[in-house]
């Protein structure tokens, strides 16, 4: 196993129930990256979501993860304007996220 993905219905407040899916996890072993595994897994994610009846996929990514954002951009994903910050209760550490999406139709 060189990677895995976890997907499901989106729980975003503005999601369209039954139509919007969320990529919750997507990991490729760093040693195995840049060998096509990510592209194949991303295609499998899209195929699975389509088969499950979803028409749109979303994914929250770190705003500073330029390699992942470039990979997703090259695969047809784009930022949709939504963003959020997540962190500890004390806000000592805060992570800025942007939401990207793609149509599955």
């Amino acid at each position: 196993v060189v990677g895995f993905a976890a997907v499901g219905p989106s729980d975003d407040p503005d999601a369209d129930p039954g139509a919007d899916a969320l990529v919750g996890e997507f990991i490729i072993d760093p040693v195995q990256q840049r060998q096509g595994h990510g592209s194949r897994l991303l295609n499998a994610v899209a195929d699975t979501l389509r088969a499950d009846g979803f028409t749109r996929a979303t994914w929250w990514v770190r705003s500073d993860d330029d390699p992942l954002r470039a990979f997703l951009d090259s695969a047809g994903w784009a930022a949709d304007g939504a963003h959020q910050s997540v962190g500890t209760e004390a806000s000592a550490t805060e992570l800025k996220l942007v939401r990207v999406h793609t149509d599955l139709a």
Side-chain angles (χ1 to χ4, degrees), residues 8-30:
S10 175
D11 59 356
D12 290 336
D14 62 346
D16 181 358
D20 290 342
L22 176 70
V23 177
E25 289 289 337
F26 189 94
I27 298 173
I28 302 294
D29 180 353

Side-chain angles (χ1 to χ4, degrees), residues 42-96:
L42 190 58
N43 286 332
V45 162
D47 290 345
T48 298
L49 293 175
R50 269 188 218 97
D52 288 344
F54 293 103
T55 57
R56 180 175 177 255
T58 60
W59 189 341
W60 289 98
V61 298
R62 287 187 1 232
S63 63
D64 63 352
D65 192 342
D66 294 335
L68 176 58
R69 292 184 66 189
F71 167 69
L72 293 173
D73 183 58
S74 71
W77 293 67
D80 67 5
H83 55 87
Q84 64 178 322
S85 294
V86 295
T88 61
E89 283 187 28
S91 296
T93 303
E94 190 171 80
L95 188 61
K96 295 180 192 267

